[in-house]
Amino acid sequence: MQKMKNQAVTIIALTTVLSALVLVSAFGTSLPNNVSVFATGLNNPRGLKFGPDGYLYVAEGGIGGSDSTEGCCEQVIPPVGPYTGSITGSRISKINANGVVTTAVDNLPSSQTSAALGNLKSGAADVAFIGNTLYFLLGGAGCSHGVPQVPAMPNGIIRVNANGTTDLIANLSAFLMAFPVAHPDPDDFEPDGTWYSMIAARDDGNHLDLYAINPNTQELDHFSPMTGEISRVVDFSITYPGGTNWIGPTAIATK
């Protein structure tokens, strides 16, 4: 069941007037004397969190792809789009205390913007844990990102089961299309959204739920693993209309 409602939650939405699809080193090519490289080999790393097993889990935007879905669905307009993508270019990695990187979940969708915008990559966007169960957020999937949809691969929240299989438990692409925000930016509209950040936090009933940020359409959404319900917590476009005063949240943290 999918519905919209306002909820009071203890979540801080960190907003910025500029969002990016890539992580840029704050130090450039040189590092301070007290900083060293811990792990290498990550492809466009995004959100990361420590798991209950002590590993550091990292969502990777991946390597993009060359598949096109033009003519199949609504596309992202230039200069950002049209996107191209692949069904297997992204992954979730985990890093142990010695900096050794291994793959936790492989063969996830990845996409890239047009060459005019620099072929910026997106795919897996963030990770979160509820107990021992790993969840991850897809931000670079969906037909509008050039990812083939046979089978359907929308943006959403994925649960990783104990046997290593995965299940789509929240179709965020469908939710966004069914319940658009009040004032999206018509010149920078992404039909599947550009989901950036996700956390696990307690709801009013003291259950651990998941909260995801989509800066493109300026929204913070809530998902309950217990009920399967998706709801909108905040539509920032009401206060900051996308076409005239876009301010998009890119990260969230618990208070």
Side-chain angles (χ1 to χ4, degrees):
M1 178 180 180
Q2 295 179 336
K3 65 180 182 179
M4 292 177 59
K5 62 182 180 180
N6 292 324
Q7 297 189 12
V9 293
T10 55
I11 286 183
I12 302 170
L14 307 177
T15 62
T16 177
V17 295
L18 295 175
S19 65
L21 289 174
V22 293
L23 296 178
V24 180
S25 170
F27 303 111
T29 56
S30 61
L31 296 174
N33 292 333
N34 63 341
V35 176
S36 61
V37 175
F38 177 65
T40 61
L42 303 173
N43 292 315
N44 294 295
R46 297 293 187 263
L48 69 166
K49 293 181 179 73
F50 283 100
D53 55 3
Y55 282 81
L56 180 63
Y57 286 74
V58 184
E60 298 183 40
I63 59 175
S66 58
D67 293 328
S68 172
T69 56
E70 288 192 79
C72 299
C73 58
E74 182 180 5
Q75 299 291 298
V76 177
I77 64 174
V80 177
Y83 279 74
T84 57
S86 68
I87 61 174
T88 60
S90 179
R91 65 185 178 185
I92 307 295
S93 292
K94 61 180 183 178
I95 308 172
N96 70 11
N98 297 315
V100 177
V101 179
T102 54
T103 299
V105 185
D106 207 358
N107 297 323
L108 303 177
S110 182
S111 59
Q112 61 194 62
T113 64
S114 70
L117 203 68
N119 296 316
L120 304 179
K121 311 297 193 297
S122 56
D126 207 353
V127 294
F129 282 88
I130 296 179
N132 292 320
T133 302
L134 169 64
Y135 298 84
F136 62 86
L137 176 68
L138 280 179
C143 186
S144 71
H145 287 147
V147 175
Q149 295 297 294
V150 181
M153 292 189 178
N155 276 337
I157 299 173
I158 314 295
R159 181 184 62 227
V160 181
N161 302 312
N163 62 1
T165 60
T166 58
D167 289 315
L168 174 70
I169 58 171
N171 188 331
L172 296 177
S173 291
F175 178 77
L176 178 58
M177 295 174 191
F179 303 104
V181 297
H183 304 292
D185 183 354
D187 295 326
D188 186 29
F189 178 65
E190 301 252 0
D192 290 286
T194 58
W195 304 86
Y196 264 45
S197 179
M198 179 176 70
I199 61 169
R202 296 197 180 277
D203 66 3
D204 294 339
N206 206 33
H207 300 112
L208 272 173
D209 288 348
L210 297 169
Y211 295 83
I213 281 285
N214 175 12
N216 178 262
T217 53
Q218 305 165 264
E219 64 187 287
L220 169 62
D221 293 335
H222 161 266
F223 173 72
S224 170
M226 290 184 63
T227 66
E229 177 186 301
I230 306 172
S231 58
R232 183 156 296 135
V233 180
V234 183
D235 178 353
F236 293 93
S237 78
I238 294 174
T239 306
Y240 306 101
T244 58
N245 190 26
W246 179 91
I247 295 180
T250 57
I252 48 177
T254 54
K255 182 178 179 181

